[in-house]
């Protein structure tokens, strides 16, 4: 292996030749052979008794697959409940056999005798309301009356398996799309009971006569694979493999393709991984891609297993997209054959020209994250550039998991991007060539390298599109977890003028769409024309670990830990934040003579057993701190539990000239301890005094107000407790703080007799807060019983009640406005480390993930997360 750093030539190992079909060389491992149990021994069929022909039957036209000599009719001449549409019968010599009964809610049940009693009175003899065939509706409130046609099946016992889509027009139905051939009923409108009978015969009766399980080889791709989001992932994946591999003889082509993809991706290894730590899948709104949710610290080998399964599922998503276009967006598993499945994936993987046009479409799109309420970011500044970059990134529909972070300095025009380069295990092990499924495992490393390089070029264009002032971008790909930024495998620097002139046209003209590049990644680098690069190919033409290009110095200059950052703040920020330097905003670096942890240890070890002695020691701690910690002249002490509280001081102080010094953690912790000791001793006046002293040094800290409210509640002064908690709502912005304030305020209001306002407070998300949810639920049950209500008000009703009685609705708009103005201003001024926590709070009141991802960019930039955390601690 040779690492290349620079812009000139390099040597690439020879390309291995894939085995030709029929050459006798090893090919893709075969799927498990089917034991055939589902093909021939599914359901025993007993002939129904023959009864006299009642007459008035409407004969059905012969259907595809109908057994020779069998004739079917529908009739309403036999006794049936009032909701019946009639029976499906088979004509036999001397009479008819009853096969099924149809109901007016578009359900069909197999049955062999007339139903003479009313269903409601008979205790439902129809198998607990599980029909053989059901025509449901997509939306019961819609006026177009369209919906899925489903057959009861062991493959989807709860929902049934879809085999078509219909539309109803009064007493007539028409087929919009079908996974089965409806023959004479495939086109046009027919009366409801005729279509119900045809559906039941095709989807349920004929398969049963042939010894096949109803539903085998049918279904919508989306319905089948959505189960991985609802069930334990290992069970869901096993069921997909079972359906398409173990039951391969009766499975649809898409089922067989999906099973092969999952087996080759390592489905068997998923169960032990998911047993070691939680793994679940979601489907991302907007892209309809599968996304695995798991612990970021998952071991590398386990992560490869999960991401390989994720990529395989997204290949099935590509097949679904192709099938949707052929059958009215239903995407049936029967729509494509296996060759078409592979073709759909191949098409999805080679549309870089479409990706680039999608990116360019964002050049003049309004950035909705550049203004939040009354706060506005500088056009083209760092906040604007980063949120534009993330907005474009989140809109892409890419074949593999796409994780990324970015950093920018618009004053120098430099930007850096890091992204997760997929491991080769995320790529297909097989392909369909010349009518055969062939083994391409030997080429996966090259495929991964080609993809990573092409994605690096796309990311460069996203950077240039997002940032009008960006003139140079460095793009670095990491294999594995982006959080750890381990194993860098490529690093490319691009100049805007050269890229726009020479590389962008190649993307737009489809040069990078050439599938031949998959096996020859060496051809990609000259096409990208990087200004500098660090790259290494291994013997299989995959990417090896390299030393990445250095992060631009202008970006590192903005990454000084806050506690050590002596740079002055711009005048507007200085006025808003009551601070002159960046380090004045730090609240996490505890360098006091007595550490906050020491006081916590003292309280934990002695507070309950020796409260008097502990109180004396705590008083001593306060005295020592006040004597040793010399506060700057004309500055107020300030304690904050989290960085957002430091940015909110303008809500509670005397004006823009106020300044603060960082009160030691030990001082606040000592006051908390004294409050608890005096409260437990029944000295409420002394406890309130300590709580107010806490509020004086922590005016934006919600927990300080909690302490005073608890003292009042213990003294049965719930009016005072409610008053304090209402004020706390004006400064509480973190979700945990807001929820807890409402929880305690609810109880206080309840005890003042204001039950309706108490119910509104309980309804403000408090029941979802895990730590105290059980006690909150018990309280709610008692309160609702007193009110005579069945349930709490919904969120809108709760908010209306709070506003009616003058209780703040938190987080308050004024507080969020201050946070937004501070965050945007700090980022644009080059202080991203001071803005990440505020951005996280703002994200909770904003749709989508853009601001949550921005928070990661602000916190870590393109640096190793562990290194950033260590620097914050001063290590």
């Amino acid at each position: 292996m040779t690492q290349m750093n620079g812009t000139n030539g390099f040597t690439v190992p020879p390309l291995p030749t894939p085995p030709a079909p029929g050459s006798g060389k090893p090919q893709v491992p075969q799927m498990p052979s089917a034991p055939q149990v589902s093909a021939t021994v599914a359901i025993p069929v007993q002939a129904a008794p023959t009864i006299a022909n009642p007459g008035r039957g409407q004969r059905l036209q012969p259907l595809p697959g109908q057994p020779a000599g069998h004739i079917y009719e529908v009739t309403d001449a036999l006794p049936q409940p009032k909701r019946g549409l009639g029976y499906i019968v088979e004509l036999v010599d001397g009479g008819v056999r009853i096969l099924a009964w149809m109901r007016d809610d578009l359900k069909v049940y197999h049955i062999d005798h007339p139903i003479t009693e009313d269903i409601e009175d008979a205790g439902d003899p129809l198998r607990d309301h599980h029909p053989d065939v059901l025509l449901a509706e997509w939306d019961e409130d819609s006026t177009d009356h369209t919906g899925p046609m489903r057959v009861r099946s062991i493959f989807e016992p709860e929902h049934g398996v879809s085999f078509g889509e219909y539309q109803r027009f009064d007493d007539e139905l028409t087929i919009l799309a079908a996974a089965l051939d409806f023959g004479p009923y495939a086109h046009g409108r027919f009366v409801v009971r005729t279509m119900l009978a045809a559906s039941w015969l095709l989807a349920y009766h004929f398969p049963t006569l042939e010894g096949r399980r109803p539903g085998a080889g049918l279904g919508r791709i989306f319905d089948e694979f959505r189960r991985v989001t609802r069930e334990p992932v290992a069970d869901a994946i096993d069921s997909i493999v079972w359906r398409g591999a173990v039951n391969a003889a009766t499975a649809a082509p898409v089922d067989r393709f999906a099973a092969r993809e999952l087996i080759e991706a390592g489905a068997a290894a998923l169960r032990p991984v998911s047993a070691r730590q939680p793994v679940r899948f979601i489907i991302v709104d907007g892209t309809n891609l599968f996304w695995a949710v798991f612990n970021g610290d998952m071991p590398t080998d386990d992560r490869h297993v999960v991401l390989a399964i994720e990529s395989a599922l997204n290949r099935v998503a590509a097949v679904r997209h192709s099938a949707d276009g052929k059958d009215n967006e239903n995407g049936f598993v029967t729509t494509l054959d296996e060759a078409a499945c592979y073709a759909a994936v191949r098409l999805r993987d080679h549309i870089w020209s479409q990706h680039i046009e999608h990116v360019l479409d964002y050049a003049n799109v309004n950035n909705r994250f550049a203004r939040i309420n009354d706060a506005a970011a500088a056009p083209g500044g760092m906040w604007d550039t980063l949120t534009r970059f993330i907005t474009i990134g989140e809109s892409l529909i890419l074949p593999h998991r796409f994780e990324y972070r970015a950093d920018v300095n618009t004053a120098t025009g430099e930007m850096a991007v890091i992204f997760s380069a997929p491991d080769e295990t995320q790529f297909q092990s097989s392909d369909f060539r010349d009518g055969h499924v062939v083994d391409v495992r030997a080429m996966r490393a090259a495929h991964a390298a080609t993809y990573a390089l092409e994605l690096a070029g796309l990311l460069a264009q996203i950077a240039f599109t997002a940032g009008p002032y960006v003139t140079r971008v460095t793009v670095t790909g990491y294999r594995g977890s982006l959080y750890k930024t381990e194993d860098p495998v490529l690093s490319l620097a691009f100049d805007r003028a050269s890229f726009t002139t020479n590389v962008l046209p190649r993307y737009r003209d489809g040069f990078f769409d050439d599938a031949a590049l998959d096996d020859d990644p060496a051809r990609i680098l000259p096409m990208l024309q990087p200004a500098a690069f660090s790259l290494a190919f291994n013997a299989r033409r995959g990417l090896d670990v390299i030393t990445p290009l250095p992060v631009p110095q202008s970006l590192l200059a903005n990454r000084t830990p806050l506690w050590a950052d002596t740079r002055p703040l711009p005048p507007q920020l200085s006025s808003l934040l009551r601070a002159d330097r960046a380090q004045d905003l730090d609240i996490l670096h505890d360098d006091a003579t007595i550490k906050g942890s020491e006081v916590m240890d003292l309280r934990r070890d002695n507070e309950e057993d020796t409260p008097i002695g502990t109180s004396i020691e705590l008083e001593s701690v306060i005295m020592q701190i006040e004597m040793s910690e010399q506060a700057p002249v004309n500055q107020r002490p300030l304690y904050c539990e989290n960085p957002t509280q430091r940015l909110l001081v303008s809500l509670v102080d005397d004006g823009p000239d106020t300044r603060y010094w960082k009160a030691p953690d030990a001082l606040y912790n000592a006051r908390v301890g004294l409050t608890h000791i005096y409260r437990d001793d029944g000295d409420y006046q002394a406890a309130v005094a300590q709580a107010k002293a806490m509020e004086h040094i922590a005016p934006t800290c919600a927990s300080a107000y909690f302490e005073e409210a608890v003292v009042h509640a213990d003294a049965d002064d719930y009016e005072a407790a409610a008053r304090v908690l209402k004020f706390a709502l004006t400064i509480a912005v973190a979700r945990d703080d807001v929820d807890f304030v409402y929880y305690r305020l609810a109880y206080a209001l309840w005890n003042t007799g204001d039950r309706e306002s108490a119910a509104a407070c309980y309804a403000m998300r408090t029941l979802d807060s895990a730590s105290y949810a059980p006690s909150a639920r018990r309280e709610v049950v008692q309160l609702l019983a007193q009110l005579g209500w069945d349930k709490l008000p919904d969120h809108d009703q709760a908010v209306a009640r709070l506003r009616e009685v003058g209780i703040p609705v938190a987080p308050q708009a004024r507080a969020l406005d201050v946070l937004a103005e501070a965050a945007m201003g700090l980022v644009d001024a080059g202080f991203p480390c001071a803005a990440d926590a505020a951005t996280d709070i703002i994200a909770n009141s904003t749709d989508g993930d853009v601001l949550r991802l921005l928070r990661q960019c602000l916190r870590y930039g393109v640096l190793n997360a562990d290194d950033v955390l260590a620097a914050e601690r001063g290590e």
Side-chain angles (χ1 to χ4, degrees):
M1 181 188 77
T2 303
Q3 177 168 317
M4 289 69 64
N5 295 283
T7 58
N8 296 318
F10 49 87
T11 304
V12 178
L15 182 70
T17 303
S23 65
K25 295 182 180 181
Q27 295 195 341
V28 180
Q30 296 297 308
M31 293 190 295
S33 59
Q36 305 301 322
V37 293
S38 63
T40 58
V41 292
I43 302 175
V45 180
Q46 295 181 351
T50 302
I51 64 174
N53 192 329
R56 298 207 327 259
Q58 290 82 45
R59 184 165 298 184
L60 297 174
Q61 298 183 55
L63 294 164
Q66 183 167 317
H70 289 240
I71 301 172
Y72 301 99
E73 288 186 349
V74 293
T75 180
D76 59 3
L78 294 168
Q80 63 174 332
K82 58 187 176 183
R83 297 183 59 189
L85 293 179
Y87 295 89
I88 305 170
V89 299
E90 180 184 355
L91 298 184
V92 295
D93 292 339
V96 298
R97 292 194 182 107
I98 297 176
L99 302 178
W101 176 64
M102 299 174 288
R103 204 159 68 181
D104 62 3
D105 55 359
L106 307 187
K107 296 177 180 178
V108 187
Y109 300 85
H110 71 265
I111 199 164
D112 62 3
H113 61 277
I115 305 175
T116 56
E117 67 275 15
D118 189 76
I119 294 297
E120 286 74 10
D121 297 333
D124 185 24
L126 302 176
R127 298 166 303 284
D128 298 325
H129 295 286
H130 291 309
D132 303 329
V133 164
L134 163 66
L135 275 57
E137 287 198 16
W138 300 124
D139 183 357
E140 293 182 357
D141 297 326
S142 175
T143 58
D144 64 3
H145 300 296
T146 61
M149 309 168 74
R150 298 188 180 126
V151 58
R152 182 165 57 93
S153 172
I154 63 168
F155 297 101
E156 279 286 351
E158 296 298 322
H159 305 282
V161 172
S162 292
F163 61 89
E165 182 185 21
Y166 76 97
Q167 184 170 14
R168 182 172 184 172
F169 304 90
D170 296 324
D171 193 41
E172 292 184 325
L173 296 180
T174 188
I175 301 295
L176 299 179
L180 296 168
D181 182 2
F182 271 75
Y185 302 109
H187 305 286
R189 297 184 187 180
F190 301 90
V191 295
V192 169
R193 64 180 187 174
T194 298
M195 294 304 294
L196 281 175
S199 299
W200 183 82
L201 290 168
L202 286 168
Y204 186 86
H205 188 59
F206 293 170
T208 302
L209 289 178
E210 296 171 5
R212 294 185 290 115
R213 293 188 184 274
L218 299 176
R220 294 195 314 156
I221 301 172
F222 175 75
D223 290 337
E224 287 192 43
F225 294 92
R226 184 178 52 181
R227 68 190 311 156
V228 301
T229 68
R230 303 191 310 248
E231 303 174 9
V233 292
D235 292 341
I237 295 300
D238 283 352
S239 69
I240 295 171
V241 171
W242 177 78
R243 179 181 175 113
V246 178
N247 291 275
T250 57
V254 172
D255 291 329
R256 291 195 295 272
F257 171 81
R260 180 182 292 112
E261 287 293 319
L262 290 169
I263 291 170
E264 294 171 357
L270 183 61
R271 185 171 295 280
V273 170
S274 62
R276 285 190 286 270
Q277 52 191 303
V279 178
R280 64 186 178 90
F281 283 90
I282 62 173
I283 298 176
V284 180
D285 290 339
T287 64
N288 284 323
L289 294 176
F290 287 94
W291 183 271
V293 180
F294 53 88
N295 190 323
D297 290 331
M298 177 180 282
T300 300
D301 289 345
D302 288 355
R303 180 183 175 89
H304 287 332
V305 170
V306 173
L307 296 187
I309 296 297
E310 179 187 271
S311 290
L313 288 171
N314 282 325
R315 286 191 282 275
V316 179
V319 171
R320 174 204 166 190
H321 178 74
S322 178
D324 280 349
K326 298 178 181 295
D327 51 24
N328 201 39
E329 299 300 313
N330 278 279
F332 293 117
V333 294
T334 56
T335 300
L336 304 178
D337 60 21
E338 289 189 68
C341 291
Y342 282 100
V345 174
R346 192 176 302 112
L347 176 64
R348 177 209 62 171
D349 290 352
H350 300 93
I351 54 172
W352 296 101
S353 57
Q354 294 181 35
H355 291 320
I356 211 78
E357 292 297 340
H358 174 80
V359 171
L360 294 173
D361 285 342
Y362 277 82
N364 298 312
V365 171
N366 178 57
N367 181 10
R368 71 183 182 95
F369 298 101
R371 175 175 289 276
I372 298 176
N373 298 335
D374 293 331
M382 285 189 266
W383 178 283
D384 187 26
T385 298
L386 288 173
T387 51
R388 284 181 181 275
F389 181 88
I390 297 168
T391 298
I392 299 172
E394 290 304 284
S395 70
L396 293 173
I397 303 177
L398 295 172
H400 306 285
R401 191 181 191 88
F402 182 38
E403 297 176 354
Y404 56 93
R405 295 203 305 267
D407 202 359
V408 65
N409 188 323
T410 54
T412 64
E414 292 178 299
M415 189 168 182
V417 178
I418 60 174
F419 73 98
S420 55
D423 182 77
E424 64 180 89
T425 57
Q426 293 173 243
F427 288 76
Q428 280 183 295
S429 294
S430 61
D431 197 3
F432 199 88
R433 300 177 182 176
D434 300 325
H436 299 275
V437 176
V438 298
D439 187 348
V440 295
R441 284 174 296 173
M443 302 310 304
R444 291 190 303 175
H447 295 173
T450 293
Y451 177 85
L453 286 164
E454 291 171 330
L455 180 55
L458 181 69
L459 284 166
Q461 183 56 54
I462 296 175
F464 295 138
T465 301
Y469 295 124
V470 175
T471 57
R472 185 179 175 93
V473 60
T474 303
V475 182
T476 302
Y478 290 86
R479 185 171 55 224
S481 171
L482 198 60
Y483 179 85
K484 296 293 185 181
T485 56
E486 298 169 338
D487 297 340
V489 292
L490 65 85
S491 192
L492 312 175
F494 299 97
D495 286 325
R496 186 182 193 114
S498 175
F499 190 94
T500 302
T501 302
N502 301 318
V503 183
L504 177 58
R506 292 179 181 140
Y507 271 99
R508 303 187 75 171
D509 292 342
F511 285 86
F512 290 94
D513 296 347
D514 185 359
L517 295 173
D518 291 353
D519 296 337
D520 195 3
R523 291 171 54 193
I524 304 293
L525 194 64
M527 295 169 64
L528 290 174
Q529 293 188 0
F533 64 86
S534 176
L535 195 67
F537 287 101
N538 58 30
R540 295 180 300 127
R541 293 201 168 189
L543 296 175
D544 266 338
V545 176
I546 48 91
T547 299
L549 298 175
V551 177
Q553 189 59 40
S554 70
L555 302 183
L556 294 177
N558 292 341
R559 289 283 155 195
T560 304
L562 202 56
W563 62 271
D565 194 345
T566 60
R567 290 178 296 163
L569 296 173
Q572 185 175 355
L573 282 175
S574 182
S575 175
L576 175 68
L577 303 177
R578 314 321 197 221
D580 298 315
R581 301 168 301 172
Q583 66 181 183
D584 297 337
L585 302 176
D586 171 62
I587 61 98
L588 297 174
H589 193 63
D590 188 4
D591 56 1
T593 55
I594 302 177
K595 302 297 183 185
S597 58
E598 296 178 64
V599 175
M600 295 297 290
D601 291 342
L602 171 65
R603 290 174 49 198
R604 184 185 63 248
D605 295 339
N606 303 302
E607 192 171 297
E608 292 185 4
D609 297 333
T610 57
I612 296 177
T614 303
S615 66
I616 293 173
E617 291 192 58
L618 293 176
E619 293 281 8
S620 176
V621 166
I622 294 172
M623 185 179 299
Q624 291 180 58
I625 291 173
E626 291 178 342
M627 290 178 61
S628 61
E629 302 292 338
Q630 296 299 315
V633 178
N634 300 324
Q635 290 193 14
R636 295 171 52 177
L638 180 67
Y639 170 82
C640 299
E641 286 182 322
N642 62 65
T644 56
Q645 294 169 355
R646 178 60 185 85
L647 303 183
L648 291 172
V649 292
S650 63
L651 298 176
V652 295
D653 66 18
D654 300 327
D657 295 329
T658 306
R659 291 296 182 269
Y660 296 91
W661 65 280
K662 183 182 180 300
D665 295 355
L667 180 61
Y668 184 83
N669 292 344
R671 296 285 188 195
V672 174
L674 288 172
T675 302
H676 290 183
I677 290 172
Y678 293 142
R679 187 192 69 204
D680 293 344
D681 194 40
D683 189 349
Y684 298 120
Q685 184 175 358
V688 168
Q690 289 296 331
K692 287 189 177 296
M694 291 162 52
E695 295 165 12
H696 174 71
I697 65 173
T700 57
C701 185
S703 65
Y705 302 96
F706 298 162
E707 297 294 345
E708 183 185 352
V710 171
V711 174
H712 292 308
D714 278 7
D716 293 329
D717 188 353
Y718 291 103
E719 293 281 0
R723 183 177 63 253
V724 172
L725 293 169
K726 288 176 184 177
F727 179 80
L729 288 172
T730 67
I731 52 89
V733 292
R735 174 166 180 169
D736 288 346
D737 286 347
V738 171
D739 289 355
F740 192 72
V741 174
Y742 276 124
Y743 169 57
R744 298 316 307 163
L745 179 57
Y747 191 77
L749 293 172
W750 184 4
N751 280 275
T752 65
D754 189 354
R755 296 172 180 170
E756 292 189 12
S757 296
C761 289
Y762 280 122
M764 296 295 285
R765 301 186 310 193
T766 60
L767 300 187
D768 297 328
S769 299
S771 61
Y772 49 87
S775 58
R777 291 193 179 99
R778 287 193 296 269
E779 292 169 16
V780 166
V781 169
Q782 297 176 36
L783 176 60
L784 292 178
Q786 292 180 12
L787 286 166
W789 294 359
D790 294 330
K791 60 181 180 179
L792 289 173
D794 61 29
H795 183 75
D796 290 344
Q797 293 169 332
V799 168
R801 174 64 183 183
L802 297 181
R803 287 178 173 155
E804 178 185 349
V805 297
I807 296 174
V809 177
Q812 291 267 272
R814 181 181 172 214
L816 292 177
D817 285 347
V818 169
L819 286 182
E821 183 179 354
M824 289 179 172
L826 286 166
V827 172
D828 284 340
F831 301 96
C833 301
D836 70 290
T839 302
D840 191 46
I841 296 296
I842 301 167
N844 291 332
S845 61
T846 307
D847 293 334
D849 293 327
V850 170
L851 293 186
R852 289 181 176 84
L853 293 171
L854 174 64
R855 193 267 172 105
Q856 297 296 310
C857 294
L858 300 180
R859 182 76 184 275
Y860 304 116
V862 294
L863 305 179
N864 180 284
D866 286 342
D867 292 343
V868 171
L869 296 175
E872 288 178 354
R873 295 190 296 265
E875 298 173 357

